[in-house]
Amino acid sequence: MSDSSRDTAEGAGWGGAERGAYRQLMPPKTEKISWLDPRMLWVARNGVLASWFGDPTGRTRARWVAQRAAAGAPADKVIRRDDPDRFSFLVIGDTGEGDDPQYAVVPGLLSAGRDTRFAVLASDVVYPVGSADDYGPKFFRPYRDYPAPIYAIPGNHDWYEDLDGFMRVFCDDAPALPPEPRPRPLTRAWLRSLLWHRPHPGDGRRLAAARTLRSAPAQQAVQPGPYWAIDAGPVRIVGIDTGLLGTLDAEQGAWLREVSRGPRPKILVTGSPLYVDGRREPCAVEGGGTVDDIVRDPAHHYVAAIGGDIHNYQRYPVRLDDGRTLQYVVAGGGGAFMHATHTIPRVDVAGVSEADFRCYPLRGDSLAFYSRLYGRRLRLPRFFTLTEAEATAVIAERLGIPPTRAQGAPVRVTRRVRLVAALLGTGRRPDRARRFRLPVRKIYTSLFSPGSATYSPPFFKCFLRLDVSPESVRLRCHAATGNRAQEVAPPVEDEVTIPLR
């Protein structure tokens, strides 16, 4: 196994490393997605419309669930597998951009996951809007050599065409829903319907050909709907659909409470993480309560909650009042652009301190990555670009923590380094952040970060491997940089053993 980013700068992907062979897996032409492109923002407008004019996700989801029930899907939505008491599976989040960052994950994933029993995609299977014809280059082709079944939960981007493509691929080629009656004129629902993005006529013509890339019997998986549970060996894996706006409708909430009962250890997989960027996001359930309330209930025996949507890795070991420790994980680094970690302030949430917290990429590598990116974009490389050593040093200074990676010679943090770090939204200690009224970090993370796609290593992508036994679950975060060394032997960036008893 090669060095990790916590060991060396080369392990993070910096330096003159040999580029990986992942491009040989890619189609001749790939779509380059930029979230700074107004056309891309317009086609993905449904999330904004739902927040302005009301969210129709719950009603649409209920129609999909009813359709699948009528087609014979199990009423409890539980997939019962025959896995042994000791087995392994993969979790990959936010995969489907169909470009270099997605394909760079594949060689390491196939290497580290060759003996796993199945994989779970956690949120945003296909960008930008979940179109059925995008599944060829963004799902079937990249994972054609993964020999086992793949299950999935949708993210907000999969909902931008009312989940049509997702249901066709993962739910037994579910037919499109019949049109709903037109809403009354001059209502909020009517305004929403006028602007709502829908699948293009004829979308899915290339889907049959794409399916041949994963056509082996051992690769097939049919799930009962957009949310489900998997009974595998000694654990139950519960996957929930958080729709466009990161919430659950009342029907799904009632199902989640029911399927969570009992002593069997459980792992939640969700499209919206419950702890992220140093704060708790409990995920509201329509009618009252939150997903985190259900997860924390000692009668439900959850041991971990893994969420996609945010394109990096984070882990928060939260100790509960009854003495249990729940591992809250962000695992959205499977292929889309990288969400910065250097914007995360010093962690102090729910008893989790900076010493307990883990993230990938390391904050210093994130800051160095973004400094190079915006140095190129603004044509100011000499001013903006920070070395990984400078970035690591200024992170340590601003957060009041030791450098995460051991440095060689001491690095001087100059005024330029501090200014670049501030302009790029670098986090601070909570007691110092209040002194600054300018919302630099908020502006940076909401406006500049989503345009961060780049097409040369290092990519700082990742996936999870979970090894299950009757006694414990070992969770490992493997890195994928796009360099050859990390393809051959994917480094472990974080590892934790979660007891089941």
Side-chain angles (χ1 to χ4, degrees):
M1 189 171 295
S2 58
D3 286 346
S4 77
S5 69
R6 292 179 173 268
D7 300 320
T8 63
E10 291 75 17
W14 300 117
E18 178 187 358
R19 190 164 181 165
Y22 68 88
R23 292 187 65 86
Q24 299 173 12
L25 306 174
M26 297 173 63
K29 294 182 179 180
T30 59
E31 178 187 23
K32 304 297 185 184
I33 293 178
S34 171
W35 296 106
L36 296 179
D37 184 343
R39 295 171 299 177
M40 200 64 65
L41 296 175
W42 173 244
V43 77
R45 62 190 179 270
N46 284 2
V48 175
L49 295 175
S51 64
W52 287 353
F53 302 117
D55 184 4
T57 299
R59 185 177 66 253
T60 305
R61 183 189 294 118
R63 296 176 69 210
W64 280 120
V65 169
Q67 183 206 72
R68 300 313 304 144
D76 61 4
K77 302 171 185 61
V78 176
I79 302 163
R80 292 173 172 87
R81 295 177 48 87
D82 60 353
D83 301 298
D85 283 348
R86 298 179 187 272
F87 74 97
S88 303
F89 69 100
L90 299 174
V91 177
I92 325 155
D94 298 82
T95 54
E97 282 202 358
D99 51 20
D100 296 61
Q102 179 179 10
Y103 279 84
V105 178
V106 174
L109 182 147
L110 295 176
S111 174
R114 58 182 174 271
D115 60 339
T116 52
R117 302 275 298 191
F118 59 90
V120 175
L121 301 187
S123 180
D124 291 342
V125 181
V126 166
Y127 295 94
V129 293
S131 299
D133 277 333
D134 282 342
Y135 272 85
K138 300 179 182 183
F139 173 73
F140 288 104
R141 185 184 181 103
Y143 309 121
R144 60 184 174 181
D145 293 326
Y146 180 67
I150 299 177
Y151 304 96
I153 57 168
N156 57 315
H157 287 269
D158 302 305
W159 269 100
Y160 287 160
E161 289 192 348
D162 292 336
L163 215 60
D164 184 78
F166 180 96
M167 296 297 293
R168 294 178 67 175
V169 169
F170 293 104
C171 299
D172 201 24
D173 206 17
L177 293 175
E180 286 193 290
R182 296 187 65 132
R184 290 186 296 109
L186 303 180
T187 62
R188 294 174 71 205
W190 176 77
L191 289 171
R192 184 184 64 221
S193 69
L194 292 179
L195 299 171
W196 199 252
H197 175 81
R198 296 176 176 84
H200 295 293
D203 182 42
R205 291 172 180 169
R206 298 190 294 273
L207 192 53
R211 290 183 193 275
T212 63
L213 298 172
R214 280 186 53 84
S215 59
Q219 293 177 311
Q220 304 312 301
V222 175
Q223 58 190 59
Y227 57 91
W228 41 258
I230 298 174
D231 281 349
V235 300
R236 171 169 284 185
I237 303 157
V238 180
I240 60 173
D241 168 20
T242 55
L244 283 171
L245 302 182
T247 60
L248 265 64
D249 62 278
E251 180 181 340
Q252 186 180 182
W255 169 84
L256 178 61
R257 291 184 179 93
E258 182 64 30
V259 83
S260 298
R261 291 176 181 167
R264 191 172 194 157
K266 298 173 187 71
I267 299 169
L268 182 76
V269 182
T270 169
S272 299
L274 303 181
Y275 279 81
V276 61
D277 293 348
R279 64 184 186 272
R280 179 176 178 244
E281 299 283 350
C283 187
V285 178
E286 182 185 13
T290 69
V291 170
D292 200 26
D293 294 337
I294 298 170
V295 167
R296 286 168 172 260
D297 189 331
H300 295 159
H301 298 276
Y302 278 90
V303 298
I306 303 170
D309 189 53
I310 304 300
H311 306 166
N312 53 45
Y313 172 82
Q314 302 174 44
R315 181 169 64 84
Y316 301 82
V318 175
R319 189 169 179 83
L320 304 181
D321 293 339
D322 60 6
R324 294 177 300 137
T325 296
L326 254 169
Q327 299 291 339
Y328 290 89
V329 177
V330 177
F337 69 85
M338 184 188 88
H339 275 131
T341 58
H342 67 265
T343 58
I344 302 172
R346 180 168 170 164
V347 171
D348 183 11
V349 59
V352 179
S353 69
E354 185 65 34
D356 306 316
F357 171 69
R358 294 291 182 272
C359 70
Y360 178 77
L362 301 180
R363 290 183 179 98
D365 290 326
S366 172
L367 178 57
F369 175 95
Y370 273 82
S371 75
R372 295 184 182 204
L373 177 66
Y374 283 100
R376 292 194 302 268
R377 285 190 171 173
L378 300 176
R379 299 185 180 181
L380 294 170
R382 293 186 63 184
F383 173 75
F384 261 97
T385 302
L386 305 181
T387 67
E388 55 83 19
E390 288 173 328
T392 298
V394 74
I395 289 287
E397 178 185 89
R398 287 175 68 92
L399 271 63
I401 60 175
T404 309
R405 182 166 60 232
Q407 301 294 302
V411 176
R412 190 165 74 94
V413 180
T414 64
R415 289 182 179 179
R416 178 189 71 88
V417 172
R418 292 189 181 101
L419 178 58
V420 170
L423 290 173
L424 293 180
T426 305
R428 295 183 67 87
R429 289 168 50 179
D431 58 335
R432 293 183 178 181
R434 298 189 190 97
R435 299 179 187 176
F436 295 86
R437 300 299 180 94
L438 291 175
V440 173
R441 180 172 173 268
K442 183 176 180 180
I443 293 171
Y444 175 77
T445 54
S446 62
L447 179 61
F448 295 113
S449 183
S452 66
T454 184
Y455 301 107
S456 59
F459 295 123
F460 299 109
K461 301 288 94 186
C462 60
F463 60 93
L464 305 185
R465 175 182 169 123
L466 290 89
D467 302 310
V468 180
S469 74
E471 299 79 27
S472 65
V473 174
R474 182 175 65 168
L475 183 153
R476 286 180 287 179
C477 171
H478 288 275
T481 66
N483 289 330
R484 182 64 176 161
Q486 287 79 37
E487 283 188 351
V488 173
V492 176
E493 290 291 335
D494 186 35
E495 180 173 340
V496 62
T497 298
I498 308 168
L500 297 184
R501 295 180 179 177

